[in-house]
Amino acid sequence: MCAAYHTLAPQDRQAEYQKVQAHFEDLKTRGLKLNMARGKPGKAQLDLVSDILTVLVNPADCVSDGIDVRNYGELTGIPAAKRLFADILGCKSEECIIGGNSSLTLMYDTISKAYTHGLLHSEKPWCQLDKVKFLCPAPGYDRHFKVTESFGAEMIVVPMTPTGPDMDLVEELVRDPAVKGMWCVPKYSNPDGIIYSDETIRRIAALKPAAPDFTVMWDNAYCVHEFDGPFVPFADILTLCREAGNPDMVYEYASTSKITFPGAGISVMASSVDNVAYMEKLMTVQTISYDKVNQLRHVAYLKDKEHTLALMQRHAEILRPKFQCVLRWLDSEIAPLEIASWQRPKGGYFVSVNTKPGLAKRTLALCKEAGVVMTGAGATFPYGKDPQNSNIRIAPSLPPVEELEQAMDVFCTCLKLAALEQLAQ
Amino acid sequence: MCAAYHTLAPQDRQAEYQKVQAHFEDLKTRGLKLNMARGKPGKAQLDLVSDILTVLVNPADCVSDGIDVRNYGELTGIPAAKRLFADILGCKSEECIIGGNSSLTLMYDTISKAYTHGLLHSEKPWCQLDKVKFLCPAPGYDRHFKVTESFGAEMIVVPMTPTGPDMDLVEELVRDPAVKGMWCVPKYSNPDGIIYSDETIRRIAALKPAAPDFTVMWDNAYCVHEFDGPFVPFADILTLCREAGNPDMVYEYASTSKITFPGAGISVMASSVDNVAYMEKLMTVQTISYDKVNQLRHVAYLKDKEHTLALMQRHAEILRPKFQCVLRWLDSEIAPLEIASWQRPKGGYFVSVNTKPGLAKRTLALCKEAGVVMTGAGATFPYGKDPQNSNIRIAPSLPPVEELEQAMDVFCTCLKLAALEQLAQ
C-alpha cells in the first residue's frame, strides 16, 4: 500500500500515478454501467415487502374504524394510519396529516402554501415579502434546497458538525426576521448519516427566531432506518418545541418510501394541532382525500412500530453488506493516502466522503468516464455550490454487492487519480 | 295533482299549503338521515370494481415496459398509463402527465404554480400581478371556484346556456389582459349535465385572449361517464387548440375517481408537449414520482378505452335507476306546479334544478330540518353567491334507490313549501 500522498517524493508520486492510471484505463475497458447516484432501494428490498400487494383483497378488507376507505372523504387521513405514524414518531395521532406517496410533496406544499397563503403565524404570504431567507445545513439533501431555491428564497449555508448544524450560528442567524425557516434531517442526516445530538435538538426546539412564522422543516426521513444495530430511540420534536414555548414552529415529515415501496408508500406531516387545523383548511381546496386504500394497505401490512422495526431489521440485512463494502474500500484504499475523510453511519442511505478541497468534481467526472454515475458534485450544497469542491455522496443501496465492489474500485481509483493530478500541479 | 302554483286562488293555495305542510311534518317524524350532497359513488359501485385490489399480486406483475413500478422514478408517469388515458381522451400519450389519486390536486397545482412560478407564457408569476381575473361559467363546480378564490383571483360569472358557457360574453371578457383563465367541465357539466356544443368548443379553442398565459382549465371529469345510452364521442380539445393556433392554451384533466375507487384512483393532466415539458421541470422539485404501482394496477384492470367503456356501462346500470328516480319525482310532483325547471342529463353525477328565484336556500333549509343533506345553496356559484338564489344541485349517486325515493319525497315537499311560503308573502 502506498503512503500518504502528501508525503510522497515526486518520483514515487509519478510511479503511483502511472499505476493508478493504468488501473483506471483497465476499468474503462470493462464497459461498466453502475449507479450510486440516489438513495434508491435495490430489488431485494422491493421483493422483501411485496406481500403488501395482497393484504387487501376484498371489499370487507377495506373498512377501517367504520370508514370505507374506497370512497371519498377523510381529508387528513384514516385514523389507523395516524395511529401508526404517531406510534413510530412518538407524537400524537391528532398531530398527523397522512399524505400520498411522497413526503417531499408534503414539504413542497408547506413551503408553497407559505408563499401563497402564509403559515399560521405569518403576517402575510411570503410571496409578498421583499426577502425570504432559509437556513440550509450543508452538506444536506439536494431536493430540500431545490424546493426553497425554486421559490426564490435566499439560502444560507450552515455548516454541519458531527452533532448536527452549527447551533451557535443558527441562533445568531434566526435573529434576522427575514430568516423564515431551516431544513433538518435530524436522524441519519442526508448525506452525513449523523444523528443530531440531544443538545442540538433541544437548542433547535428552544430557538427564539425574530420571524413569528419561522418554521423548522424536520424531515425525519430515516426515523426507523438503522442498518447496523438496533433501533435508536429519538426525541419527539413536537413535544420539545411545545415544552420550549414554540408549539407551532415545527413541521415533521416521514414516509414509508424506504419501508415498503419507494414509489408507492404513504407519507405523514406531523405538527401542532393548531397547525394541523390551519393546514386542513387550506388542503380542503386542494383535494378530497389522499389514497386511503393505500393508507389501509400500509396499516394492514406494517401493523405497528414494533412490527415495522422487525421489518426494518430485514431491510438492514440487505443494506448492511453494501455499506460494509463501501467502508472496506475506503478504509483499505483511501484512508492510508490521507486524501479524504468520511462518516461511518449506522443508518440512513448514504456515506458522505469529504475529499481534500478541490477534488470532488474531478473525481466524479472520472467516475463517469468509467461508467459509474454518482450524485453530482456540489448537489449536497445550496445552489449546487460546494465551496470546498469536496463533498461526495455515495448511495450504495441500489446495486447488488458484486456490482458495488466494482463501483467502489472505480470510485477509489478516480479519487486517487484526482488527488495525484492535483499534487502534480 | 295541483295546478301551477302561480295560477292558484288564495284559498286553494292555502289548502295546498296545509296539505304540503302536513306531509312535511309527517316526513320530519321519520328521523331520516339521507345525503345527496356530493357526487359520491354508492357501495354497489365500489364493490363492482373491487377486483382491482388483486390485479397485481407478485413482484413479476410490477414490471411495465421494463420499468419496476415499485421503485422511484418516472416523474410524469408510466408509459402504459399515458397510453390508457391518451386512448380515453383522444390525445397523444406524450401530452399526458399521470398524477396521484386526485385530478383536483393537479388543477390546484397548476393554478398554484401559475401564482408562484408562472405558466409557460407568463410574463411574471401571477402573485406579482395587481389583479388576476378568472372566468367561472356558473352554475359550476364549487371546488373549482374555491381554488381560484383561495388564491385571491377575482371570479367573473359567465352564465351557462344549454350549449355551454355564453361564448359571446367569454370572447368579450378575454380581451381584458387581467383575465387569466376559465374553468370548464365540457362533458356532462357539473351540475347541469349538459355537453358543450361543437360550436362552443370550437369557439373556446379559437379564443384570442389578451393575456399570453390565458389558460383553459378543461376538467373532463365525466369523459366516459354516460349512465343513459352509449358512449358519446367528444372532440379532443388539445387538437382543436393546436389547430386554432393556441397549442399551449389548455390544460385538460381527468381521473378514474368515478371509474374505479373515488379515493384511490389515478389522474391525468394533458396539455401540449411544451406545457408538459415546462410542468415536468417544475414538478421535479416537488416529487420523485406519483404512485406508479397504482398506475399499473389501473392499466391492468382497465386495459384500454373499450374495456373501460364496458365497465362504465355496468356503473350505468347502477346509476341509471337513481337518476330515473330523481326525474320521476320532479316530473310528477314539481313539473305541473311551474315552480322549477331542470336538465335531463344522460351522464355525469348531478341533476341541476333551477327553482323560481328566491327558493333555493329556503328549500334546502327545510330539507335539512327533515334530515336530508344536499349541496349548500349557492355552492354552484363563485363565492357561494347565487344571484337568483335558485340553483340546487342534486347528487343521487350515493343513496340506494329506496332511500332516494324518501329523499326526493322530502325534496319535492320542501320545494313546494318554499314556493307556497313565497307566494303567501
Side-chain angles (χ1 to χ4, degrees), chain A residues 72-130:
Chain A
Y72 288 123
E74 305 301 319
L75 175 59
T76 59
I78 60 171
K82 295 182 185 185
R83 290 194 296 267
L84 172 65
F85 273 118
D87 190 18
I88 288 173
L89 297 176
C91 65
K92 302 173 191 168
S93 64
E94 64 266 31
E95 293 169 328
C96 294
I97 292 176
I98 311 300
N101 72 319
S102 167
S103 59
L104 181 64
T105 297
L106 291 177
M107 296 177 226
Y108 180 97
D109 274 3
T110 305
I111 299 295
S112 184
K113 288 189 168 64
Y115 270 84
T116 56
H117 294 79
L119 298 175
L120 179 58
H121 298 294
S122 297
E123 280 148 6
K124 49 172 92 170
W126 296 1
C127 70
Q128 292 173 20
L129 302 173
D130 291 333

Side-chain angles (χ1 to χ4, degrees), chain B residues 20 31 52-53 74 100 159 167 214 222 242 288 316 328 330 390:
Chain B
V20 175
I52 195 176
L53 290 168
E74 304 301 319
M167 286 308 299
F214 179 86
Y222 308 107
R242 190 168 51 241
I288 300 172
R328 195 174 57 245
L330 292 173
S390 156

Side-chain angles (χ1 to χ4, degrees), chain A residues 40-41 47 50 70-72 101-102 105 112 116-117 143 150 257-258 262-264 284-287 289-291, chain B residues 40-41 46-47 50 70-72 101-102 105 112 116-117 143 147 150 257-258 262-264 284 286-287 289-291:
Chain A
K40 210 171 163 175
D47 291 347
S50 286
R70 299 172 299 171
N71 219 329
Y72 288 123
N101 72 319
S102 167
T105 297
S112 184
T116 56
H117 294 79
R143 290 186 192 267
S150 168
S257 289
K258 293 177 180 87
T284 306
V285 178
Q286 185 174 17
T287 189
S289 68
Y290 288 98
D291 184 340
Chain B
K40 208 170 163 174
L46 305 178
D47 290 346
S50 286
R70 300 171 299 172
N71 219 330
Y72 287 122
N101 71 320
S102 167
T105 298
S112 185
T116 56
H117 294 79
R143 290 185 192 269
V147 170
S150 168
S257 289
K258 294 177 178 87
T284 306
Q286 186 174 17
T287 188
S289 69
Y290 288 98
D291 184 339

Side-chain angles (χ1 to χ4, degrees), chain A residues 165-214:
Chain A
D166 176 343
M167 286 308 298
D168 290 344
L169 183 57
V170 168
E171 284 164 352
E172 189 189 313
L173 289 167
V174 300
R175 291 157 65 188
D176 175 356
V179 171
K180 290 293 194 181
M182 174 182 185
W183 291 109
C184 296
V185 183
K187 192 175 174 184
Y188 306 121
S189 66
N190 178 348
D192 284 330
I194 63 121
I195 301 183
Y196 288 14
S197 70
D198 288 346
E199 195 204 336
T200 297
I201 297 173
R202 267 197 308 273
R203 286 173 75 179
I204 290 173
L207 282 172
K208 295 287 164 241
D213 52 355
F214 179 87

Side-chain angles (χ1 to χ4, degrees), chain B residues 160-180:
Chain B
M160 279 293 284
T161 79
T163 56
D166 176 342
M167 286 308 299
D168 291 343
L169 183 57
V170 169
E171 284 163 352
E172 188 189 314
L173 289 167
V174 300
R175 291 157 65 187
D176 176 355
V179 171
K180 289 293 194 180

